[in-house]
Amino acid sequence: MNFTTFVPFMQSDMQTLINEQFPNHLLKADVNGSSVVFHSHNGVMLWVEAITNHVMRFRYSAKGYFSPDFSYAMAKDHRSGFAYFKVEELDSYYELRTPKLSCKVQKIDLKVSLYNEEGKLLNEDEKGFHWEEDSQRGDNIVKMSKRSINGEHYFGLGDKPSNLNLRDHRFQNWGTDEYGFAKDADPLYRNIPFYYGLHKEGCYGVFFDNSYRTFFDFASERKNVTSFWAEGGEINYYFIAGSSLMNIAQRYARLTGKPEMPPKWSLGYHQCKWSYSSEEEVMEIAHKLRKLKIPADAIYLDIDYMDGFRCFTWNKENFPDPKGMVQRLKDMGFKTVAIIDPGIKIDMDYSVCKEGFEKNYFCKHADGPLYKGKVWPGECYFPDFTNPEVRDWWSGLFKELIEDIGLAGVWNDMNEPAIMDVPTKTFPLDIRHNYDGHHCSHRKAHNVYGMQMSRATYKGVKKFAFPNRPFIITRSTYAGGQRYSSVWTGDNIATWEHLWVANVQCQRLSISGFSFVGTDIGGFTEHPTMELYVRWMQLAVFHPLMRTHSSGDHGDQEPWSFGEEGTELVRKAIELRYQLLPYHYTNFYQYTRDGKPMIRPLSFYDHQDPQTWYRQDEFVFGDHILVCPVLEPDRQGRRMYLPKGKWYDFHSKEYLEGGREIYLETSLEEIPMMVKAGAIIPMIPVEQYVSNSYKELELHIYRGEESVVSMLYDDAGDGYNHNQGYYLNRNFTVLPSESKYRITQHQEGRMPSSVKEVTLVYHGFKSRPSIVELDSDPFEVEIQENNGSFSFKVAEDFKQITLRWG
């Protein structure tokens, strides 16, 4: 039986006995600093290495040696040291300890068990490491089976369009162009082999760093077993311990890297379509957005801007003056983003093809011929982005688009890589790749191809956009690809089910390292109703990438495409996005600095509450805002779960106790959203496009009974001076008591504030204060009252504001 076909299905006991091989008893253990290599009598090697106090790495080899240690996923600075690493030999096992994590390796079979600092079992091998020889390929199918602890739940694994809780499901990673994908479709475009485990004793993360086709079974085939395996390479995984799912997310981000701060404009609204096919049409869209006062920051060009779909060219008939067009858009406050695909049309009069051919930069079959595949231009060659020389060449191709014409960003598509008119939808598996000097076939390089394309694109855009920051969006990527690009979820459908899928996908991608994520608002295929488009736009207010994109074959999908009522409702949603821009930008800063997911499932807010383990409609955006989108038609309200704590309805300012499910009435004008009691939410007046500096600033203060810290980060909105301290980061701490309500502010950074006064808006207080103190001195203010809230202005650099009653 061909194992490629056999792997995803049930394995009989007889086949297991015949095919699977296991380590036997220990021969010796070699200790070297922070690592130990265990050798079994039948030649299996296990390399255990302490990466940090909370992270251990496990590599297995059945070959008697380890291949060169290379990974595209790992950040350069992922090792951070540890207080100590102790190795102790006992009668039946070795114990390896850091201050936060303990690992036991059994001498009889090299099985591993892992414990937290309190000695509680987090994870243990069931069959452990085992393998099957693949004589046709000269490689092994490598496997790891873990015991699923009673009541264990699983999360993560990228953008799988299935229930947020992965238990009882099986998945694979093999980047696939899946046009109009269905709910539960698998695999899709992105390949992120990282998951979380959660049970009564604690939680952990597992990152299986293997770029071959990988599989994950979360107690689906056998109810007490979770397993992962690959069609080649090594079992090479990182085990991450933590006291909460959020801790683990941050440690995973440290392993695989965090992005730089994006240009602030990229957090505005983006308008895209397949396709705005002429300069006249692009300018018409831009003028209408401004005429209707619908805030927007970016307009995209799909493949029709090119000359015969040749990358890095222009259709001079429909786009006669690209530089002038881009400048006119810039004068109106728009940035221009253009698509670039990997397929290079075979045409020796086309300079990109000619140069790539002459320099031997295109992918080849194993026996030598250049690979040809059909995509939009027709027959194409494809650069080998795993070759550093090719990446350098590719990055240089962006000079004209970015430096000369003035594009602000690049959109990479079709980079799974996707091939038309072949059953596999991608390259043949015999295609050869450089893999940064670790030469391999497409079996190993497939899942990183899109990541390496976006890496090369990022390098070029960053170089030629300087001193501005780059903006890249990609469809396919691998773990660690967040260092180079944002992502969107691919070719979705204009259905209510896909609105549900969009919500789940963005939550899952966010906790898998990819917070800069969005969906095609309204659906790429088919055509939404006005209600569906409005509800989708409301959800997208809280997706870091907010972009409408659609196929023109199915009708218009601009914000004004659904009548006057639809236009008003869409405008209102987009305006809320721009009002919350300071909160969004601060949220992104926390992601880049601390690795905090920007979108967080409820289990990441309170993993000890069993109610959060299966909730998936609700999510927390940043530190303080809870969102629950309406995901069904004809609804004037919905049920939602409030996590433990105290909350305020953002719209009505009603005070609500958490730890329970509520029914919330909500019109089509509003998305259900709550604010955590004690939080301070920064807001600004609506702008038609991001201006980078705030002209006015409101701090909305929601009364709470406990001390809460809120943050407001700002910098120049572009450029790199923030890396030299030119930023302004404010931390607000609420100190409540029965008779007073105090807010302290601590500022850091060298950037002066763009506002001289801020307006403090207080919500949830029974009455206005009798005394206001500024930095411990009485302060005369003019207090404004409005619908139960009150406000006043104060100098932006206040150290302390105290309200007193009585």
Side-chain angles (χ1 to χ4, degrees):
M1 179 178 291
N2 184 302
F3 196 82
T4 303
T5 305
F6 172 70
V7 159
F9 302 101
M10 306 289 277
Q11 301 176 9
S12 71
D13 290 339
M14 181 60 69
Q15 288 165 329
T16 299
L17 288 171
I18 294 172
N19 294 323
E20 292 183 338
Q21 302 178 60
F22 299 83
N24 59 14
H25 58 283
L26 183 66
L27 177 64
K28 64 175 181 175
D30 297 327
V31 181
N32 183 13
S34 61
S35 65
V36 184
V37 178
F38 297 93
H39 302 259
S40 74
H41 274 270
N42 63 346
V44 173
M45 302 169 68
L46 163 59
W47 182 350
V48 184
E49 180 182 10
I51 304 297
T52 72
N53 283 339
H54 296 88
V55 180
M56 284 189 182
R57 181 188 184 190
F58 298 84
R59 291 181 72 188
Y60 293 83
S61 174
K63 304 172 184 177
Y65 63 90
F66 288 103
S67 299
D69 191 9
F70 176 80
S71 170
Y72 284 123
M74 307 309 292
K76 291 181 179 179
D77 58 350
H78 69 275
R79 301 172 190 273
S80 64
F82 36 83
Y84 64 79
F85 177 69
K86 293 185 177 179
V87 180
E88 183 178 2
E89 181 180 3
L90 293 107
D91 289 342
S92 61
Y93 62 87
Y94 274 81
E95 184 171 12
L96 292 61
R97 295 194 306 275
T98 74
K100 301 296 182 181
L101 189 56
S102 171
C103 168
K104 294 179 181 178
V105 179
Q106 299 295 327
K107 292 181 178 180
I108 193 170
D109 52 14
L110 302 190
K111 287 184 181 179
V112 168
S113 53
L114 292 133
Y115 304 80
N116 65 15
E117 60 186 311
E118 299 171 349
K120 293 181 178 179
L121 177 66
L122 295 176
N123 181 262
E124 66 177 347
D125 289 355
E126 187 249 355
K127 288 184 179 179
F129 170 67
H130 49 295
W131 75 97
E132 295 186 33
E133 294 181 358
D134 186 346
S135 59
Q136 293 298 312
R137 294 175 178 143
D139 205 346
N140 292 331
I141 293 91
V142 291
K143 308 177 183 180
M144 173 57 65
S145 298
K146 299 280 190 179
R147 187 168 73 87
S148 182
I149 294 175
N150 188 34
E152 189 162 4
H153 301 274
Y154 303 94
F155 307 94
L157 218 62
D159 64 340
K160 306 302 184 185
S162 303
N163 290 333
L164 205 58
N165 193 320
L166 301 172
R167 187 178 175 90
D168 300 325
H169 291 82
R170 178 179 285 199
F171 303 94
Q172 61 176 300
N173 285 327
W174 185 252
T176 302
D177 176 14
E178 193 66 34
Y179 178 83
F181 61 89
K183 180 179 179 293
D184 298 321
D186 186 54
L188 289 183
Y189 311 92
R190 285 149 294 278
N191 314 291
I192 308 169
F194 167 63
Y195 71 87
Y196 301 80
L198 169 66
H199 52 74
K200 62 182 179 180
E201 298 295 338
C203 52
Y204 63 88
V206 169
F207 172 44
F208 179 28
D209 189 9
N210 183 309
S211 63
Y212 287 80
R213 188 193 293 260
T214 52
F215 298 85
F216 295 81
D217 185 299
F218 298 101
S220 171
E221 181 177 331
R222 292 186 289 158
K223 295 302 179 184
N224 64 336
V225 177
T226 288
S227 56
F228 49 92
W229 64 99
E231 293 186 341
E234 292 181 350
I235 289 293
N236 171 30
Y237 73 92
Y238 294 78
F239 185 88
I240 308 169
S243 59
S244 68
L245 296 174
M246 180 64 81
N247 291 157
I248 294 161
Q250 292 177 265
R251 287 168 187 146
Y252 172 73
R254 187 170 192 169
L255 283 179
T256 60
K258 295 162 284 191
E260 299 175 322
M261 283 297 290
K264 193 180 288 186
W265 65 262
S266 68
L267 299 183
Y269 172 68
H270 300 201
Q271 184 63 47
C272 183
K273 184 179 184 177
W274 181 37
S275 193
Y276 298 133
S277 56
S278 70
E279 179 179 319
E280 181 182 6
E281 187 177 6
V282 169
M283 296 309 299
E284 181 183 340
I285 295 297
H287 283 293
K288 193 155 188 178
L289 284 165
R290 293 292 179 248
K291 179 182 177 180
L292 294 176
K293 296 190 180 302
I294 297 171
D297 269 87
I299 294 180
Y300 285 58
L301 305 177
D302 209 321
I303 54 177
D304 290 299
Y305 81 90
M306 302 176 192
D307 176 14
F309 307 132
R310 294 168 177 84
C311 294
F312 305 101
T313 69
W314 290 85
N315 178 335
K316 290 303 179 67
E317 182 177 343
N318 293 337
F319 293 87
D321 181 19
K323 184 172 183 178
M325 179 192 70
V326 170
Q327 183 60 52
R328 288 190 292 276
L329 289 171
K330 184 177 180 181
D331 293 341
M332 297 173 66
F334 291 102
K335 304 298 189 294
T336 308
V337 180
I339 197 168
I340 292 288
D341 290 349
I344 302 301
K345 183 176 178 62
I346 300 176
D347 175 1
M348 289 306 160
D349 293 327
Y350 165 36
S351 62
V352 177
C353 178
K354 186 174 186 293
E355 185 177 10
F357 177 82
E358 290 175 348
K359 293 186 175 181
N360 200 28
Y361 286 164
F362 295 130
C363 293
K364 294 181 178 181
H365 288 277
D367 53 357
L370 288 171
Y371 171 67
K372 295 188 294 184
K374 184 179 179 182
V375 281
W376 298 114
E379 292 292 331
C380 290
Y381 293 141
F382 296 84
D384 179 9
F385 294 110
T386 71
N387 185 334
E389 187 176 340
V390 175
R391 291 197 299 270
D392 287 344
W393 167 72
W394 183 262
S395 67
L397 297 175
F398 288 96
K399 184 180 189 301
E400 181 181 1
L401 290 178
I402 306 299
E403 186 176 83
D404 299 343
I405 292 175
L407 296 184
V410 172
W411 165 25
N412 286 159
D413 194 11
M414 301 291 287
N415 56 347
E416 289 69 36
I419 303 297
M420 298 173 176
D421 300 335
V422 294
T424 62
K425 301 182 181 182
T426 193
F427 291 0
L429 296 181
D430 77 314
I431 298 302
R432 308 305 296 171
H433 294 272
N434 179 278
Y435 215 86
D436 278 68
H438 306 274
H439 299 272
C440 67
S441 74
H442 195 65
R443 294 173 59 239
K444 184 175 182 179
H446 175 85
N447 279 343
V448 300
Y449 188 87
M451 174 197 192
Q452 294 308 298
M453 180 186 182
S454 62
R455 177 185 181 181
T457 301
Y458 166 82
K459 181 180 179 180
V461 177
K462 184 173 184 177
K463 177 180 179 180
F464 296 115
F466 188 84
N468 297 322
R469 302 173 194 168
F471 172 71
I472 314 297
I473 175 174
T474 188
R475 191 168 75 175
S476 184
T477 192
Y478 182 71
Q482 68 271 9
R483 303 193 297 266
Y484 314 119
S485 179
S486 63
V487 296
W488 91 104
T489 59
D491 294 343
N492 55 6
I493 308 173
T495 64
W496 288 94
E497 181 176 73
H498 261 266
L499 177 57
W500 178 91
V501 167
N503 184 25
V504 170
Q505 280 185 299
C506 287
Q507 290 184 59
R508 199 192 307 281
L509 277 161
S510 182
I511 63 172
S512 302
F514 287 83
S515 278
F516 202 176
V517 59
T519 68
D520 286 348
I521 297 170
F524 178 73
T525 74
E526 306 303 330
H527 195 252
T529 62
M530 183 267 282
E531 183 186 11
L532 175 57
Y533 187 68
V534 169
R535 289 302 192 193
W536 210 315
M537 188 69 74
Q538 291 171 344
L539 170 62
V541 167
F542 302 97
H543 289 165
L545 180 67
M546 187 184 191
R547 183 183 79 150
T548 290
H549 179 44
S550 63
S551 169
D553 293 342
H554 301 282
D556 293 338
Q557 208 157 294
E558 286 72 35
W560 53 82
S561 301
F562 301 90
E564 290 187 12
E565 181 185 7
T567 302
E568 290 293 331
L569 294 170
V570 168
R571 182 191 295 112
K572 182 175 181 179
I574 296 175
E575 286 178 344
L576 177 60
R577 168 70 166 222
Y578 280 74
Q579 288 175 293
L580 288 170
L581 182 65
Y583 184 86
H584 276 268
Y585 201 59
T586 300
N587 193 10
F588 212 111
Y589 171 69
Q590 293 177 302
Y591 168 46
T592 63
R593 187 189 69 173
D594 303 325
K596 288 185 174 182
M598 296 176 70
I599 305 170
R600 307 163 192 174
L602 293 194
S603 54
F604 280 66
Y605 180 83
D606 182 5
H607 75 272
Q608 294 181 331
D609 179 359
Q611 288 291 325
T612 69
W613 298 346
Y614 284 101
R615 308 298 303 206
Q616 48 197 12
D617 290 356
E618 306 91 340
F619 62 89
V620 178
F621 184 73
D623 287 340
H624 302 312
I625 293 179
L626 172 67
V627 182
C628 187
V630 177
L631 303 173
E632 296 177 312
D634 303 319
R635 291 289 185 268
Q636 296 300 310
R638 67 154 299 154
R639 305 199 71 81
M640 68 177 292
Y641 183 73
L642 296 182
K644 294 174 183 176
K646 298 175 174 60
W647 302 87
Y648 286 87
D649 185 306
F650 178 84
H651 304 289
S652 70
K653 306 303 185 285
E654 180 185 0
Y655 179 77
L656 297 161
E657 291 282 345
R660 63 192 177 102
E661 188 176 74
I662 64 168
Y663 181 82
L664 188 68
E665 293 186 0
T666 179
S667 68
L668 186 55
E669 294 184 3
E670 298 175 346
I671 182 172
M673 53 185 291
M674 302 286 164
V675 179
K676 183 180 177 180
I680 297 178
I681 305 297
M683 298 181 69
I684 58 173
V686 174
E687 299 179 317
Q688 291 307 297
Y689 57 93
V690 172
S691 62
N692 283 338
S693 61
Y694 308 134
K695 298 175 178 64
E696 300 177 48
L697 179 65
E698 294 180 349
L699 300 178
H700 288 257
I701 299 151
Y702 293 82
R703 182 182 65 85
E705 299 170 0
E706 299 177 355
S707 180
V708 175
V709 177
S710 300
M711 180 185 292
L712 171 57
Y713 172 83
D714 196 22
D715 58 29
D718 216 333
Y720 299 93
N721 285 342
H722 61 290
N723 292 331
Q724 283 73 50
Y726 195 79
Y727 61 86
L728 179 58
N729 191 28
R730 310 167 188 257
N731 282 281
F732 303 101
T733 303
V734 168
L735 301 167
S737 69
E738 290 186 7
S739 60
K740 65 179 183 292
Y741 204 84
R742 177 171 293 165
I743 299 170
T744 65
Q745 179 185 188
H746 173 72
Q747 294 187 1
E748 62 179 17
R750 296 190 293 108
M751 188 180 84
S753 174
S754 58
V755 296
K756 299 304 178 185
E757 286 186 318
V758 297
T759 301
L760 305 184
V761 186
Y762 289 83
H763 305 288
F765 293 80
K766 294 181 179 179
S767 62
R768 57 188 289 171
S770 54
I771 298 172
V772 178
E773 295 175 353
L774 171 62
D775 300 338
S776 301
D777 295 323
F779 180 48
E780 294 294 327
V781 295
E782 181 180 345
I783 297 179
Q784 305 291 327
E785 296 188 67
N786 183 28
N787 293 329
S789 301
F790 61 86
S791 64
F792 57 85
K793 294 182 181 295
V794 65
E796 62 84 20
D797 60 349
F798 71 89
K799 300 293 189 300
Q800 182 175 284
I801 288 287
T802 305
L803 308 185
R804 296 185 183 273
W805 287 264

